[in-house]
Amino acid sequence: MKQIPAPFWTLVLGIAVTLISLWVGQNHNLLPEQASEQAPLVDDLFNVMMTIGTALFIVVQGAIVYSLIRFRQPKGDETDGLPIEGNLPLEAFWTAIPAVIVVGLGLYSVVVFQEMGGFSPGGHHGHGAMVAMAPQKSVIDVAPLLLAQGVDDDTVFGKTQVYGFGASPLGSMNSPDVTVNVTGMQYAWIFTYPGTGIVDGELHIPVGQDVQLLIEAKDVIHSFWVPQFRLKQDALPGEPAELRFVATREGTYPVVCAELCGAYHGGMRTQVIVQSPEDYADWVASRVAEATPTTTVAQPAINATDAEYLAEIAPDLAKSPVQIAQSSSMHH
């Protein structure tokens, strides 16, 4: 019987590995549901990485298993193995392939980052006011030019660079439909809706509308993460950050602090509630109607404790953040 040539087996194995890898890359079921316009971008990149990783796993583990069987030591053979040195073509091959993969994934991730607005975060804000989609130049660099044009000092030096994911390039010149100020503190998230007097411990947003979160930390580094949105943004003390997205699915999703921020880091959780535009409008109207003159958005003193901070901006949330974390942990 004529032996099947090795190139044929190589072709068959290559096709099998490719098909298995493609199937695993699209059917791994490792990610939660998609609930934002940005989620498919991240998932597509993850699926490509999963496909490549599966192929590499099969090839490497397959080569190990084949070598264990094909080149195993015969019973009773006590001789040394063949003195094989190097194989330059093989070494160049297995060095070039990973290099191409790494460069390709790097370029792909940069494209995804740009499409999500990572290179054009949505502007600057100063004195508590947001200037949407301002040019992304450092104010320090242009300060002399602005001052020469007669712009007052507060306007020039009262702005700070905003970091984070802004609008995609296609929508970068459009103002958001909803803006929410987000404050991270040990160990709670506080959401303030400018112009409404609404301060809440949960984030309410309308589905299908452009939402802009202006994120800051009061004490230590926190990280605002919604797994279903595939979005995560660090909150740094003294460094304003932005997260801009469009939710695509109604529902309630967890908000997790993804940066170790202290003893009760695990209890620093809340939820984002994505509602229909009608339900969201009803919620805003009901909260505005409930608002009293004592529910202010005044800025607390810099050295205020967490409890004093909460008591000043939201009397109904004015218990210790540690109690909030403890009660949240007990609830879960």
Side-chain angles (χ1 to χ4, degrees):
M1 182 176 178
K2 188 175 182 180
Q3 186 176 9
I4 300 176
F8 176 79
W9 283 116
T10 302
L11 177 62
V12 171
L13 292 175
I15 294 175
V17 169
T18 301
L19 293 178
I20 294 173
S21 301
L22 289 174
W23 185 87
V24 172
Q26 299 297 323
N27 298 276
H28 50 75
N29 297 321
L30 294 177
L31 299 173
E33 62 181 324
Q34 299 176 352
S36 74
E37 287 187 352
Q38 289 75 15
L41 298 173
V42 178
D43 288 5
D44 289 345
L45 174 59
F46 184 85
N47 291 342
V48 170
M49 296 173 64
M50 193 70 185
T51 300
I52 295 174
T54 301
L56 292 177
F57 176 82
I58 294 175
V59 170
V60 172
Q61 297 304 317
I64 293 175
V65 172
Y66 173 78
S67 299
L68 288 173
I69 298 174
R70 175 67 178 81
F71 303 107
R72 68 186 184 277
Q73 183 182 29
K75 186 177 181 179
D77 186 358
E78 301 295 336
T79 61
D80 294 334
L82 296 176
I84 300 175
E85 292 187 0
N87 187 318
L88 183 58
L90 180 60
E91 293 174 1
F93 177 77
W94 74 42
T95 301
I97 294 300
V100 172
I101 292 174
V102 170
V103 172
L105 289 177
L107 295 175
Y108 186 13
S109 65
V110 169
V111 172
V112 172
F113 190 70
Q114 169 64 2
E115 290 183 3
M116 294 174 65
F119 289 129
S120 54
H124 305 77
H125 66 93
H127 302 296
M130 177 69 188
V131 182
M133 314 319 301
Q136 292 303 298
K137 265 193 173 181
S138 171
V139 175
I140 297 176
D141 293 340
V142 300
L145 297 176
L146 294 176
L147 291 173
Q149 296 296 322
V151 180
D152 58 279
D153 291 354
D154 289 341
T155 300
V156 174
F157 297 104
K159 301 176 183 178
T160 51
Q161 182 73 33
V162 176
Y163 301 95
F165 286 103
S168 67
L170 295 178
S172 60
M173 298 307 296
N174 298 326
S175 59
D177 300 312
V178 177
T179 300
V180 184
N181 295 327
V182 181
T183 302
M185 56 188 298
Q186 296 174 312
Y187 299 91
W189 295 104
I190 306 300
F191 303 98
T192 305
Y193 294 74
T196 64
I198 299 175
V199 180
D200 205 296
E202 296 178 339
L203 176 61
H204 290 252
I205 59 173
V207 68
Q209 294 190 16
D210 191 358
V211 177
Q212 185 178 55
L213 304 183
L214 305 179
I215 304 174
E216 62 179 0
K218 182 179 179 293
D219 35 41
V220 299
I221 299 177
H222 301 281
S223 187
F224 184 91
W225 179 36
V226 183
Q228 285 75 10
F229 291 173
R230 312 293 193 268
L231 292 171
K232 179 166 60 176
Q233 178 59 55
D234 285 350
L236 309 177
E239 295 289 347
E242 174 186 311
L243 193 59
R244 188 163 172 175
F245 58 90
V246 176
T248 57
R249 186 189 296 250
E250 295 181 33
T252 300
Y253 309 106
V255 176
V256 183
C257 178
E259 189 75 36
L260 181 59
C261 58
Y264 290 93
H265 160 71
M268 189 171 170
R269 292 172 175 262
T270 184
Q271 54 190 11
V272 52
I273 301 174
V274 182
Q275 303 170 293
S276 66
E278 296 77 16
D279 290 342
Y280 174 75
D282 292 341
W283 176 82
V284 172
S286 65
R287 290 303 306 273
V288 170
E290 294 172 1
T292 64
T294 58
T295 305
T296 63
V297 197
Q299 295 295 327
I302 296 177
N303 58 352
T305 66
D306 289 344
E308 292 170 343
Y309 176 82
L310 278 174
E312 187 161 359
I313 68 168
D316 55 329
L317 300 176
K319 59 181 178 178
S320 168
V322 173
Q323 292 177 320
I324 292 176
Q326 290 174 329
S327 62
S328 175
S329 298
M330 292 175 63
H331 174 72
H332 287 293

